Amino acid sequence: MKYELYYWPEIQGRGEYVRLALEEAGTAYVDVARGPRGSSAMMKMMDAHGGTPPFAPPFLKAGKLVIGQTANILLYLGSRHGLAPKTEAGRLWVHQLQLTIADFVLEIHDTHHPLGPSLYYEDARPAAKKRTEEFWKERVPKYLGYFEELLDGNGGVYVTGRRLTYVDLSLFQIVDGLRYAFPKRMKAFEKEVPGLVNLHDRVAARPNIAAYLESDRRIPFNEQGIFRRYKELDV
Amino acid sequence: MKYELYYWPEIQGRGEYVRLALEEAGTAYVDVARGPRGSSAMMKMMDAHGGTPPFAPPFLKAGKLVIGQTANILLYLGSRHGLAPKTEAGRLWVHQLQLTIADFVLEIHDTHHPLGPSLYYEDARPAAKKRTEEFWKERVPKYLGYFEELLDGNGGVYVTGRRLTYVDLSLFQIVDGLRYAFPKRMKAFEKEVPGLVNLHDRVAARPNIAAYLESDRRIPFNEQGIFRRYKELDV
């Protein structure tokens, strides 16, 4: 079975956490919306009256199943592709961490969209500056400090133990994205989370991930996605 | 086995989605932090170096398991207490909807905390007004319209079919909370979502839920929780 991933074709966004899992697993998939007529196919899937239409991309078609919500997709993929433990306790723990990352991703998005996701950044700039200040003062230390502590508490190999899970892949993306969006702030902050920085580098060096990052399947960061580089927010 | 729920004792908050599921299931649980020395017990559980400490309340202790993140707790409880389908496809679908509700809950919280969760409301009031405008103009119609469409598409009984799930309980709470926080705006909006309003009333009338709502186990809405009534935001 070849998976079909449906996500906005111009950005990494939330789809990237799924792409990283599919790439690490080395499983066959099509990034549908990046192909011809892919975007209209995606919109059509979201309009299934009487069925189970997803609220928003990303969603994954796996045979007859259509699974929406990033963390839910990873829950499904994790146990099938060796990216999560097989025990119920282990699966719930890894999923719990992914949901915490999802909360953080929403807060990252809010740094440039504090007045709501439908407005233009330019119309919310003063509020974005305030929100970004609070984000770096309170939220980044709280979230990244939590994951650093988990890494430290279990010997520093992977966040949930001796085997890589999709949570480690997602944390790679968080570090990578914060480096892109806030190069100055992140550079100053990295000394607080040496374990996470090291995890980022080890994930980036894994053969499947390294090949993916070099390929044109990896969409470059840009100012349409979750991680946006706005100079005035990176002081 | 008696479940132990850990959540802030003064508010409904995210813990309420778990309380509603436990109450509907009629299963035995202790709301630990509302009891003597409960808050310090809760803080101690979050400080388990080397273990699997939750990032934040709510979390549920089920025997040896400690499960964090609201939607993850419901995923665990759902299949055990007849509040979710038993098939994998059904469980993933219900969980997907709960994750969409979780996104909406974060956006509800952002109406009074647009500049970040650590600030006081009073310090973000002008931004809160803007965010609330956008929330009612764009986001409420999008989210509630989605669930109304699902209800409509399957005959209007419950959101995922003929059997109640934890998603229906959560949607009861969403309607109830919006009525509390924005009585004027919600009154004007309810005609757009008659199915959801009807679902709210049917959930409220279920014997276990009705008994719970009458009891002192149901904490009243207040201005510390997710749904806050600020007159200037309800125009």
Side-chain angles (χ1 to χ4, degrees):
Chain A
M1 180 185 63
K2 201 172 197 169
Y3 292 115
E4 292 179 9
L5 172 64
Y6 292 82
Y7 193 63
W8 308 113
E10 309 86 359
I11 59 171
Q12 293 181 13
R14 286 175 178 78
E16 197 63 15
Y17 304 93
V18 182
R19 291 191 186 106
L20 286 166
L22 292 167
E23 294 282 346
E24 170 63 24
T27 186
Y29 75 100
V30 193
D31 203 336
V32 178
R34 296 189 72 192
R37 289 181 300 280
S39 290
S40 62
M42 181 167 87
M43 299 318 282
K44 205 173 163 185
M45 299 264 293
M46 292 172 66
D47 203 28
H49 185 78
T52 57
F55 181 74
F59 48 92
L60 185 79
K61 193 163 183 307
K64 285 183 181 173
L65 268 182
V66 178
I67 309 160
Q69 283 281 353
T70 307
N72 201 34
I73 300 170
L74 294 172
L75 177 69
Y76 174 84
L77 290 175
S79 48
R80 276 173 180 71
H81 295 285
L83 294 172
K86 292 211 183 294
T87 63
E88 184 184 35
R91 276 188 294 123
L92 288 168
W93 170 235
V94 171
H95 187 52
Q96 173 179 334
L97 295 179
Q98 191 66 37
L99 292 174
T100 301
I101 291 173
D103 287 342
F104 188 43
V105 168
L106 254 173
E107 294 195 29
I108 294 166
H109 184 265
D110 270 357
T111 60
H112 48 78
H113 275 78
L115 303 183
S118 335
L119 299 177
Y120 288 107
Y121 165 69
E122 288 69 23
D123 296 331
R125 207 180 310 221
K129 283 188 188 178
K130 280 188 192 168
R131 175 106 196 194
T132 302
E133 277 308 317
E134 201 259 0
F135 174 76
W136 278 95
K137 188 170 158 232
E138 302 283 344
R139 308 304 286 172
V140 173
K142 186 170 161 76
Y143 278 101
L144 296 193
Y146 173 72
F147 287 106
E148 180 75 14
E149 170 91 3
L150 291 182
L151 264 176
D152 188 55
N154 67 32
V157 188
Y158 293 109
V159 168
T160 62
R162 277 176 298 175
R163 294 196 61 176
L164 175 113
T165 70
Y166 57 74
V167 167
D168 299 295
L169 301 175
S170 295
L171 288 170
F172 156 80
Q173 176 68 6
I174 295 287
V175 170
D176 221 49
L178 289 174
R179 280 182 176 176
Y180 172 79
F182 304 100
K184 288 183 198 165
R185 290 184 190 266
M186 189 60 179
K187 193 174 180 191
F189 183 77
E190 285 192 12
K191 64 180 183 302
E192 309 292 332
V193 287
L196 279 178
V197 170
N198 181 267
L199 176 67
H200 166 276
D201 297 349
R202 281 182 292 127
V203 168
R206 293 177 73 87
N208 287 1
I209 298 295
Y212 168 61
L213 297 176
E214 284 295 307
S215 77
D216 61 6
R217 299 191 302 285
R218 171 84 163 180
I219 300 164
F221 285 108
N222 62 51
E223 280 56 57
Q224 312 299 316
I226 304 282
F227 295 102
R228 304 189 185 186
R229 183 178 290 177
Y230 293 125
K231 275 186 187 165
E232 62 270 29
L233 301 184
D234 186 39
V235 292
Chain B
M1 182 183 65
K2 201 172 199 169
Y3 293 116
E4 292 178 9
L5 172 65
Y6 292 81
Y7 194 63
W8 308 113
E10 309 86 359
I11 59 171
Q12 293 182 13
R14 286 175 177 80
E16 197 62 15
Y17 304 92
V18 182
R19 289 190 187 108
L20 286 166
L22 292 167
E23 293 283 347
E24 170 63 23
T27 186
Y29 74 101
V30 193
D31 203 337
V32 178
R34 296 189 73 192
R37 288 181 300 281
S39 289
S40 62
M42 181 167 88
M43 299 319 282
K44 205 173 163 186
M45 299 262 293
M46 292 172 66
D47 203 28
H49 186 78
T52 58
F55 181 73
F59 48 92
L60 185 78
K61 193 163 184 305
K64 285 182 182 174
L65 267 182
V66 178
I67 308 160
Q69 283 281 353
T70 308
N72 201 35
I73 300 170
L74 293 172
L75 176 69
Y76 174 84
L77 290 175
S79 48
R80 276 173 180 72
H81 295 284
L83 294 172
K86 291 210 183 295
T87 63
E88 183 185 34
R91 275 187 293 121
L92 288 168
W93 170 236
V94 171
H95 187 53
Q96 173 179 333
L97 295 178
Q98 190 66 38
L99 292 174
T100 301
I101 291 173
D103 287 342
F104 189 43
V105 168
L106 253 173
E107 294 197 28
I108 294 165
H109 184 265
D110 271 357
T111 60
H112 48 78
H113 275 78
L115 303 183
S118 334
L119 299 176
Y120 287 108
Y121 166 69
E122 288 68 23
D123 295 332
R125 207 182 308 222
K129 283 188 186 177
K130 281 189 191 168
R131 175 106 195 195
T132 301
E133 276 310 316
E134 201 259 0
F135 174 76
W136 277 96
K137 188 170 158 229
E138 302 283 344
R139 308 305 286 171
V140 173
K142 186 169 161 76
Y143 277 101
L144 295 193
Y146 172 72
F147 287 106
E148 180 75 13
E149 171 91 4
L150 290 183
L151 263 176
D152 188 56
N154 67 32
V157 189
Y158 294 109
V159 169
T160 62
R162 276 175 298 176
R163 294 195 61 176
L164 176 114
T165 69
Y166 56 75
V167 166
D168 299 295
L169 301 175
S170 295
L171 287 170
F172 155 81
Q173 176 68 7
I174 294 287
V175 170
D176 220 49
L178 290 174
R179 280 183 176 176
Y180 171 78
F182 304 100
K184 288 183 198 166
R185 290 183 188 266
M186 188 59 179
K187 193 174 181 190
F189 183 78
E190 285 193 11
K191 65 179 182 303
E192 310 291 333
V193 287
L196 279 178
V197 169
N198 181 267
L199 176 67
H200 165 276
D201 297 349
R202 283 181 291 126
V203 168
R206 294 177 73 87
N208 287 3
I209 298 296
Y212 167 61
L213 297 176
E214 284 295 306
S215 76
D216 60 8
R217 298 191 302 285
R218 171 84 164 179
I219 300 164
F221 285 108
N222 61 51
E223 280 55 58
Q224 311 299 316
I226 304 283
F227 296 102
R228 305 190 186 186
R229 182 178 291 177
Y230 293 125
K231 275 186 186 164
E232 63 271 28
L233 301 183
D234 185 41
V235 292

